[in-house]
Amino acid sequence: MKILLVEDDRAAAEVLKNILTHQHYTVDLADDGETGLSFAEMFAYDLILLDIMLPKLDGLMFCRQLRAEKNDTPILLLTALDSSTSKVIGLDAGANDYVVKPFEANELLARIRALVRQKSPALSSVIEAGNVRLDSTSSKVTCNGQILRLTAKEYALLEQFMRNSHRIFSQETLLDYLWSSEEIPLANTVRAHIKALRQKLKQAGANDLIETVYGQGYRLKLKENGHSQVKHSAATKLDLQPTQVDATVVERYQPQLSSALADIWKRFQPQYSDRITILEQNITLLLANTLTEEQAQQAQASAHQLIGSLGSFGLVEASRLCREIEQIFRAGVKQSRAEVERLSQLIVALRQELQRSVTIAPDARAKRCHRQRFANIKQQPHLLIVDLDVQLSQQLINEAAIWGIQALVATLTEVREAIAQNCPDVVLLDLGFSNSIESGLELLAELTTNNWDVPVLVFSAVEDFANRLKVARLGGQIFLHKPVHPASVIAAVIQVLQRSDIVQAKIMVVDDDPQMLDILRTLLEPWGFELTLLNDCASFWEILNAFNPDLLILDVQMPLSGIELCQVVRNDLHWNQLPVLFLSVHKDAETVNRVFAAGADDYLSKPIQGPELIARIMNRLERTLTFGNGSKLRS
């Protein structure tokens, strides 16, 4: 899908483009209203993201002129003006929806999906063609249940064919629709991407899904009877509608965007510092009672621009401070002494906030490494050895290679950089590598916290229960006593890798509240689980057998009670060992007793706390994998 983004703040535009391109949208950028309107008149877009405060032609006039030309492309306004009057004016000008800066990435994406869906009501988030399944919400493509690794362009091509299975696309049409105006593709670009896509589909077991219609272009291959193989799922109804977005749903940035945000911040931070300098100068003039009306308007404009810009980088507090500064300046140059003093306090606080560089947050870094390790497990696992024993380290590397595990060695000074660069699946730590067990324990504590979130095996020449207890308390997974044979060490590594395979697990969630389903999807998807979310109990049994989950999450109070569904599962010979976790707003003893009497394995009260939910799921899946019924997870 192709989006036109009209935003004059280059840094904010880059952040938005990163978010959108990671969701496989094609994005054209325009930095003023006139250029944006020209783009909208020349090219076809699925959506226009439009800032209100623009040079040459503001967003409201843009809307009015585009609608006067009978162009019905959905328009989503981006505005730092949060008053109801401003929103009404924007909607009356022809916009379809709005988001107030700063906004969360997930909220923006949910509103985009809702607007595109309103224009094409039949649009589904899940499409199936034969054994190929595409889920546009998670940007995931699977073939025969296995994830298909596609480039952004390959994904966009496949989605275009699957959504328009009866249409033939010429090379020129595909170039216009899937390449932005900034890209300059060669004549054979489409053919090259089609060839690469076909090869990946063939290797996955979906040969000849895309056919060439000579002299015309390409299309999805149809059955002989002329009916399309494509099946559109009703999963779209789980997406957030504009009026259903809640701040609790969208608490995270996409982990893979964090480094990109940091790079953009590094380039544009001086520009934002200059804007704050303008504010500081105008506040000084205000203190001296020499501020003119024009200078007050300049200060208001600077504060207004900073509201959305700083919010784009996750600096929510800085954005809030700017909004308060803007409101004070908007009142005019004649301020009370208290308001002037308040401005002085706000600008000092804002400068302090700006000096905090945008870096990769620990939890984002951990989740990024977690995702990378998930990919490694399915390809070649990575082992990081922290040990000064060169001979043993080499033996471990050789033994690991026999089992298809890639191992490398790091010293104390190298270990953090090695983890950041390689995202190992397992760390093997010698407690005495620095001749100090306490130093080894300190490193273990750092590695097992949320900063890295990597499983650690410990081996030590000191056989001492006190040290074993410390290792267990710090989160070490296995304790090995030296001397130990390299084969035994790698066997332990493989055991930990098998535990890590739980992130490949399939989870089915049944809840009649679509917003709760979206909250759970937001919490669970970053961990790599394959999800099926169901808000209609009528199809429960069919979907349970078709999806074949490793864990079932049920709500208690639904049109068909979760307790009854659990009883049905427990009465079936095939499913009676399936782990079942209940979520409910009810905390009374009677409800809890009924849940466990029906056969539940665990129970959590709403509202859901993300870390606790993940810990409960991981623990339940690990027990299933280790103590029984785990063959499906390992297969």
Side-chain angles (χ1 to χ4, degrees):
M1 295 186 185
K2 197 167 187 176
I3 292 177
L4 172 61
L5 172 59
V6 191
E7 169 65 76
D8 63 322
D9 186 321
R10 293 302 301 272
E14 287 195 37
V15 172
L16 276 172
K17 186 174 181 180
N18 266 304
I19 291 171
L20 296 170
T21 53
H22 273 85
Q23 294 296 312
H24 300 292
Y25 293 110
T26 302
V27 182
D28 276 345
L29 291 178
D31 56 10
D32 66 74
E34 287 185 358
T35 303
L37 187 60
S38 298
F39 275 35
E41 292 169 341
M42 289 188 294
F43 305 107
Y45 295 98
D46 295 289
L47 181 82
I48 298 173
L49 285 178
L50 180 66
D51 190 21
I52 287 186
M53 305 293 287
L54 290 169
K56 297 186 179 179
L57 183 71
D58 66 57
L60 298 179
M61 286 303 299
F62 180 110
C63 288
R64 293 187 182 103
Q65 291 191 30
L66 196 67
R67 295 301 185 234
E69 297 169 5
K70 307 301 181 183
N71 188 321
D72 64 350
T73 303
I75 297 175
L76 179 59
L77 287 179
L78 309 174
T79 175
L81 303 171
D82 62 346
S83 69
S84 58
T85 302
S86 301
K87 297 168 186 174
V88 170
I89 293 174
L91 296 174
D92 285 345
N96 300 81
D97 198 3
Y98 58 84
V99 289
V100 177
K101 299 178 180 180
F103 47 80
E104 294 285 355
N106 280 9
E107 177 183 1
L108 176 67
L109 293 171
R111 291 186 185 277
I112 288 173
R113 291 194 297 268
L115 284 179
V116 173
R117 191 165 59 249
Q118 287 172 15
K119 187 177 181 181
S120 303
L123 191 64
S124 300
S125 62
V126 178
I127 328 166
E128 297 180 27
N131 55 358
V132 176
R133 184 177 188 270
L134 184 148
D135 186 343
S136 60
T137 304
S138 61
S139 299
K140 182 190 296 183
V141 177
T142 57
C143 182
N144 294 321
Q146 298 299 313
I147 294 177
L148 204 58
R149 308 290 180 185
L150 302 179
T151 66
K153 283 294 185 287
E154 290 165 359
Y155 176 94
L157 282 167
L158 182 61
E159 183 180 23
Q160 191 69 2
F161 290 132
M162 291 179 71
R163 288 199 182 282
N164 304 274
S165 54
H166 289 280
R167 181 177 172 185
I168 299 173
F169 290 92
S170 67
Q171 292 188 42
E172 292 75 16
T173 301
L174 291 171
L175 284 173
D176 180 59
Y177 200 74
L178 300 178
W179 273 261
S180 70
S181 58
E182 297 176 352
E183 299 172 297
I184 307 177
L186 301 175
N188 64 346
T189 296
V190 171
R191 290 197 299 272
H193 282 84
I194 292 285
K195 180 179 179 181
L197 176 58
R198 280 172 166 165
Q199 288 175 342
K200 291 182 180 180
L201 289 169
K202 181 178 180 181
Q203 291 171 358
N207 196 15
D208 299 327
L209 186 64
I210 299 169
E211 66 176 345
T212 301
V213 182
Y214 290 100
Q216 298 183 57
Y218 306 93
R219 70 178 177 189
L220 202 70
K221 192 169 185 177
L222 305 177
K223 291 182 178 180
E224 292 182 359
N225 61 9
H227 295 294
S228 173
Q229 298 173 320
V230 177
K231 180 172 67 174
H232 295 262
S233 166
T236 311
K237 62 185 178 182
L238 301 184
D239 280 334
L240 291 174
Q241 297 295 332
T243 57
Q244 293 176 315
V245 179
D246 190 288
T248 59
V249 181
V250 286
E251 293 177 341
R252 62 178 178 86
Y253 278 105
Q254 300 288 342
Q256 64 268 36
L257 296 179
S258 298
S259 58
L261 285 175
D263 291 339
I264 297 170
W265 173 258
K266 190 179 296 183
R267 287 188 285 118
F268 285 92
Q269 185 178 7
Q271 174 182 322
Y272 297 136
S273 182
D274 290 343
R275 290 182 185 174
I276 292 182
T277 299
I278 292 174
L279 289 174
E280 289 171 334
Q281 292 170 347
N282 285 318
I283 290 173
T284 301
L285 293 174
L286 185 60
L287 286 167
N289 292 319
T290 58
L291 184 72
T292 66
E293 187 70 43
E294 182 180 353
Q295 290 167 330
Q297 291 176 357
Q298 181 191 37
Q300 180 186 336
S302 295
H304 182 87
Q305 290 174 331
L306 286 168
I307 293 171
S309 301
L310 299 182
S312 300
F313 294 98
L315 298 176
V316 178
E317 176 61 16
S319 180
R320 186 196 66 77
L321 293 169
C322 289
R323 187 179 299 281
E324 191 172 345
I325 291 171
E326 181 202 24
Q327 290 170 348
I328 294 176
F329 272 111
R330 188 185 299 169
V333 297
K334 295 182 179 180
Q335 306 288 340
S336 68
R337 194 66 192 177
E339 288 173 321
V340 173
E341 291 176 356
R342 177 59 180 158
L343 277 175
S344 299
Q345 297 169 355
L346 290 170
I347 201 67
V348 170
L350 179 58
R351 177 65 77 180
Q352 292 173 346
E353 285 291 320
L354 190 67
Q355 288 171 349
R356 300 179 185 178
S357 297
V358 173
T359 57
I360 302 176
D363 60 337
R365 178 177 58 187
K367 288 180 181 178
R368 192 179 71 248
C369 278
H370 191 96
R371 285 185 167 187
Q372 181 61 47
R373 290 199 298 276
F374 170 53
N376 290 343
I377 290 169
K378 305 190 83 172
Q379 299 169 18
Q380 185 179 34
H382 289 77
L383 167 66
L384 178 63
I385 303 169
V386 186
D387 195 343
L388 293 179
D389 188 333
V390 177
Q391 182 179 358
L392 177 59
S393 295
Q394 188 57 54
Q395 291 173 342
L396 290 171
I397 291 173
N398 295 338
E399 184 70 25
I402 295 173
W403 292 92
I405 300 171
Q406 182 178 341
L408 59 92
V409 181
T411 64
L412 175 61
T413 57
E414 299 169 340
V415 62
R416 293 163 184 82
E417 183 177 355
I419 293 176
Q421 290 182 351
N422 298 282
C423 288
D425 303 290
V426 183
V427 172
L428 179 61
L429 172 64
D430 182 0
L431 280 187
F433 71 96
S434 63
N435 297 319
S436 167
I437 290 181
E438 290 304 317
S439 295
L441 291 171
E442 288 176 6
L443 179 58
L444 172 62
E446 180 180 346
L447 296 179
T448 54
T449 63
N450 287 333
N451 287 343
W452 295 111
D453 189 35
V454 57
V456 182
L457 280 75
V458 170
F459 60 157
S460 172
V462 179
E463 172 64 303
D464 181 88
F465 177 73
N467 283 330
R468 286 180 176 270
L469 186 59
K470 289 178 182 177
V471 168
R473 286 173 173 172
L474 292 173
Q477 298 218 1
I478 292 180
F479 188 100
L480 300 169
H481 180 222
K482 283 186 173 182
V484 59
H485 194 277
S488 298
V489 176
I490 299 305
V493 169
I494 292 171
Q495 182 179 338
V496 172
L497 286 173
Q498 288 178 336
R499 292 178 185 174
S500 299
D501 278 347
I502 61 177
V503 298
Q504 301 176 48
K506 299 163 71 173
I507 298 178
M508 179 174 173
V509 185
V510 186
D511 195 312
D512 63 338
D513 182 352
Q515 185 169 332
M516 176 54 64
L517 289 175
D518 213 275
I519 291 172
L520 291 170
R521 176 168 51 202
T522 301
L523 293 173
L524 297 176
E525 275 189 347
W527 295 91
F529 296 119
E530 183 178 348
L531 304 176
T532 279
L533 308 178
L534 181 66
N535 66 353
D536 182 5
C537 298
S539 56
F540 169 77
W541 191 249
E542 291 77 12
I543 292 179
L544 177 74
N545 286 281
F547 183 58
N548 196 24
D550 300 298
L551 183 138
L552 178 63
I553 298 178
L554 298 173
D555 186 27
V556 171
Q557 189 170 344
M558 297 184 289
L560 186 58
S561 167
I563 292 175
E564 294 176 316
L565 294 180
C566 184
Q567 289 171 331
V568 170
V569 170
R570 290 292 177 249
N571 289 340
D572 185 77
L573 287 176
H574 177 72
W575 290 114
N576 60 11
Q577 297 300 315
L578 177 68
V580 179
L581 188 155
F582 269 86
L583 307 177
S584 177
V585 295
H586 300 290
K587 302 179 183 179
D588 59 282
E590 181 183 354
T591 300
V592 175
N593 289 336
R594 288 178 60 214
V595 163
F596 282 104
D601 295 279
D602 207 345
Y603 182 93
L604 274 177
S605 298
K606 298 178 182 179
I608 304 303
Q609 299 298 318
E612 182 181 6
L613 175 65
I614 295 299
R616 298 283 189 99
I617 288 174
M618 292 291 194
N619 180 63
R620 184 56 52 187
L621 289 172
E622 184 173 332
R623 287 177 176 271
T624 303
L625 175 64
T626 305
F627 299 112
N629 198 30
S631 58
K632 186 165 73 71
L633 288 175
R634 292 190 293 270
S635 61

